[in-house]
Every structure is written in structure tokens, then in C-alpha cells.
């Protein structure tokens, strides 16, 4: 693109691709190839030495993935991005890129269950300690920090509570200490731009709103390019000391000619090279299609979810509605500050009839799909007490914000009257 557009509606349609160089194709081609022909021995050597950037092998980079990466980086106002096989891979890489055995990170307790498992069990097995703190108190991050703390981690709009994370408050604690704030922005894609509030890295499960149609599993890391890794050599040793896995490269130095992209290049050229959790070009194509309408869809998701929350709040079978539009005080102020007046597509409710009512409600739905997913264009529902959280004790369920009658709704972009009609008929049987 020649003139950088300012608005995300334009960026998601144009960034990173202006007609295919060889065919003129306006749609981004799917480069379904494993490898790329080098122009010469010298060209190959330069690519491997990072003296020149270019395609080598699709485990590490691919031109279709590259367009998605450039587009999402532009949407977020970041420097570069890295496509990965899933959101889980993105969360894992986000941490592993800067923390090793003996190090720790401080994370919000309000996390997607898969991330919780990754942090509490798999990271622990790797020797990386994750210190969980209550996100309602930003200072809790500072209190949990020590010399071995390499990152802070949180979700912008975590379910089930849907309490928006204090991004600027926690970034302001970590940044002077050399600690980057990593934000999982999956549920707020297109409505919150965490870099504007001081986050250093963004994690996405593109499986959700970016894909938008429930077709493909994928993830992304986005590097703001604004975090000064070099200023904190002791806090961030793996970007500032010779890396034995890449012939002694010091990442902050090695990429100087390319841009402020040490974090993302290291993730690509070491973790992705070694662990291989690559996004397929076909999935990247699907995510590009989704991304092109993300702002439009999010507008409708948010509009519909707010209308559903307002309607549910008056329903006699509903004890509580969980949605930012129904919040008050500091929690609501954060939602207003960070989500810019849109409140996301997720909505929870607690049914007065408890667990049995939750199960019965789900079985009565006709339009909503009963699935363990969010962010589809279609409306989705799940009853965590009998599914995703059924292995947890009632006490642990309560600690994660899941009560027996809690139902999670991911509101789609269907006509609002049809969505409410389905909820109405399912609730009327309780
Ligand atoms: N982060 C959030 C907020 C999620 O909701 C999910 C999946 O539900 C993930 C990460 C993991 O993403 P994936 O399923 O693409 O691995």
C-alpha cells in the first residue's frame, strides 16, 4: 500500500497485498507449496543468514500467511506478526520466546481454560512458573514480580466474567521494569487495540472472530515493535545474549536492519523452526477472508449481544446477565475505556433454575448451535457446568466464575428478532 489508510475497515481489505506480482490476482493466492526455489547459492546463504528476507520453507514462512501477518500487524498498529497453527500455540510461543526453565511470568487469573491448563501444568512441567494474580488490582502484578519475571499476561475480554482487563494500568507497571504485557485480544478483535494502551505483544486465536465462520483453527502473535528489549538486558536475556540455537545471534542486534522486530523474528526462526506449529496457507487464506469483514461483523455481534443482554435482564427465568453493558463502577468504566462503546459478542446468563435449567435450556435451543466455540457468525451456546467445567469441583467452578445455572452465549450476526425468538422459546420451557 502506498498511502497508509487510517481506519481498520480499510486496512483489513488492503494491507499487505495489492494484486499478485505474477498474475495480478486481486484475491490473495493460496501458496500451497512446501518450499521455494532459491535464485542462487548466494541468495540461499543470505536468506539463512537473515542478511536478506525471503521465503525458504513453509514451516517457517509462506506468502499467503505473510499477507495475513502483515494485515493483522497493520490493523493493530504493530510492526510484524507471526501466524501459528492455533491460538494455543500462539499463547505458548508468546511465553517460551522470552522465558525458560527457572523464569516466571505473572498472569491474570481470568483466562480461557486452555490457557489456564497450559500455564498451570505444561509451563510448570517446562520449569516456567506462572504466578496468577487478581486482575481487578493492577498492583498485584508488581507484587508478584521478581528478578526472574519475564512477562505479564492477560486477556482483554475474558469470559465468563467479561471484566475488561486494565491494560494501561498494568503496562505502566511492567514497561519501566522491562516486562512486556502480552494481551490475548481474541474476544475483542477489531474493537480493542491493545498497543494503543501500552501492551507489547498481542496473542490471537484466529479460530474465533478473525476467521469468523468456524472453519479453521489458527493463531497469531503480533509484535508492537515499540517495546525496548535492548534497554533491559538482564530482564530480557534471550533477546540480548548470543543465541546458541542461531549461530550466536543476538536478536536485538541481528535484526536492526530489518526493524524493531527482534521478538517476532526470534519466535519465527527458533521456536517455529524447532516446534513446527505452523499455520497452513489454506487456513491463512480463510482467515484473510474473515479478516476482510471483521469490523463489519463485530459491529453486528456487539449490537446484537447488547440487545440480547438488555432483553435477558428483564426475563423472569434469568437471575443475572453477564455483559459489559450491564456492569457498573470501575469494571464498567474499563469496558467503556478499552472497548470504545462496543461490548463484544459474548454474553453470559445465570438461570434461576440452576444446573437442570441450564441443561434443559441448551437442549431446547433451535437456532443457536451447542458447541465449545465462540466468535462464529452463527449464534452459539454452552452450559459450562455440564461440559467445559464439569471436571472441576463446585468450589473451583465458582472460583472461575461458573455457577451451576451459568450459560455462555456467543451472539452471532443473525437478525436480532430471530436470536431473541430462539432464546424466548428455550427459556419459556424452564
Ligand atoms: N484464547 C482464547 C481467549 C480462546 O477463547 C481460545 C479458544 O477458545 C484460545 C485462546 C485458544 O485458541 P485455539 O482454540 O485456536 O487454540
Amino acid at each position: 500500500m502506498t498511502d497508509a489508510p487510517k481506519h481498520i475497515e480499510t486496512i483489513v481489505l488492503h494491507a499487505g497485498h495489492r494484486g499478485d506480482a505474477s498474475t495480478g490476482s486481486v484475491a490473495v493466492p493460496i501458496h500451497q507449496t512446501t518450499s521455494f526455489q532459491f535464485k542462487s547459492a548466494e541468495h540461499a546463504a543470505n536468506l539463512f543468514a537473515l542478511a536478506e528476507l525471503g521465503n525458504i520453507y513453509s514451516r517457517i514462512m509462506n506468502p499467503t500467511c505473510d499477507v495475513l501477518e502483515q494485515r493483522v500487524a497493520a490493523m493493530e498498529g504493530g510492526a510484524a506478526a507471526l501466524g501459528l497453527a492455533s491460538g494455543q500455540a500462539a499463547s505458548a510461543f508468546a511465553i517460551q520466546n522470552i522465558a525458560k526453565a527457572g523464569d516466571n511470568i505473572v498472569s491474570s487469573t481470568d483466562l480461557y481454560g486452555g490457557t489456564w491448563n497450559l500455564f498451570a501444568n505444561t509451563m510448570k512441567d517446562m520449569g516456567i512458573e506462572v504466578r496468577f494474580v487478581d486482575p481487578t488490582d493492577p498492583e498485584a502484578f508488581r507484587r508478584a514480580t521478581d528478578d526472574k519475571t519475564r512477562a505479564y499476561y492477560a486477556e482483554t475480554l475474558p469470559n465468563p466474567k467479561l471484566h475488561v482487563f486494565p491494560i494501561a494500568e498494568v503496562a505502566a507497571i511492567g514497561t519501566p521494569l522491562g516486562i512486556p504485557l502480552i494481551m490475548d485480544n481474541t474476544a475483542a478483535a477489531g474493537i480493542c487495540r491493545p498497543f494503543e494502551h501500552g501492551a507489547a505483544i498481542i496473542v490471537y486465536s484466529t479460530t474465533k472472530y478473525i476467521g469468523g465462520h468456524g472453519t479453521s483453527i489458527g493463531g497469531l502473535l503480533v509484535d508492537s515493535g515499540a517495546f525496548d528489549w535492548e534497554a533491559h538486558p538482564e530482564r530480557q536475556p534471550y533477546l540480548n545474549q548470543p543465541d546458541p540455537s542461531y549461530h550466536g545471534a543476538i536478536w536485538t542486534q541481528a535484526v536492526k536492519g530489518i526493524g524493531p522486530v527482534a521478538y517476532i523474528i526470534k519466535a519465527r526462526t527458533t521456536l517455529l523452526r524447532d516446534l513446527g506449529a505452523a499455520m497452513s496457507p489454506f487456513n491463512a487464506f480463510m482467515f484473510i477472508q474473515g479478516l476482510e469483514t471483521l469490523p463489519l461483523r463485530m459491529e453486528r455481534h456487539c449490537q446484537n449481544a447488547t440487545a440480547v443482554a438488555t432483553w435477558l435482564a428483564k426475563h423472569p427465568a434469568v437471575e443475572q446477565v453477564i455483559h459489559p453493558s450491564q456492569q457498573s463502577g470501575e469494571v464498567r468504566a474499563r469496558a467503556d475505556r478499552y472497548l470504545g462503546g462496543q461490548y463484544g459478542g459474548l454474553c453470559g446468563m445465570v438461570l434461576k433454575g440452576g444446573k437442570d435449567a441450564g441443561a434443559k435450556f441448551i437442549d431446547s435451543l433451535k437456532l443457536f448451535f451447542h458447541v465449545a466455540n465462540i466468535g462464529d457468525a452463527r449464534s452459539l451456546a454452552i452450559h459450562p457446568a455440564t461440559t467445559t467445567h464439569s471436571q472441576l469441583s463446585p468450589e473451583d467452578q465458582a472460583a472461575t466464575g461458573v455457577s451451576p445455572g451459568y450459560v455462555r452465549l456467543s451472539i452471532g450476526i443473525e437478525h436480532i428478532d430471530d436470536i431473541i425468538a430462539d432464546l424466548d422459546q428455550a427459556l419459556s420451557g424452564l
Side-chain angles (χ1 to χ4, degrees), residues 86-89 91 112 115 155 159 184 186-187 205-208 217-219 373-374:
S86 65
Q88 283 299 108
S91 310
Y112 162 61
T115 312
E155 288 180 23
N159 76 81
D184 178 338
T186 298
S205 165
T206 50
T207 313
K208 317 297 180 192
I217 301 281
N373 192 25
I374 59 167

Side-chain angles (χ1 to χ4, degrees), residues 50-51 53 78-80 223-230 239 250-266:
L50 296 179
L53 283 185
D223 186 340
S224 65
F227 193 80
D228 194 351
W229 307 96
E230 221 178 327
L239 288 170
I250 297 172
W251 290 107
T252 47
Q253 307 303 317
V255 305
K256 277 237 158 97
I258 304 170
V261 289
Y263 176 93
I264 213 84
I265 297 256
K266 177 179 184 290

Side-chain angles (χ1 to χ4, degrees), residues 77-129:
L82 175 64
L84 293 162
S86 65
Q88 283 299 108
S91 310
F93 275 34
I95 306 302
Q96 286 176 293
N97 203 34
I98 47 173
K100 293 190 183 174
D103 297 333
N104 67 73
I105 67 157
V106 182
S107 171
S108 164
T109 46
D110 291 1
L111 292 177
Y112 162 61
T115 312
W116 180 278
N117 274 333
L118 168 70
F119 285 2
N121 300 301
T122 302
M123 286 288 169
K124 189 172 166 198
D125 291 345
M126 292 172 174
I128 299 170
E129 181 197 354

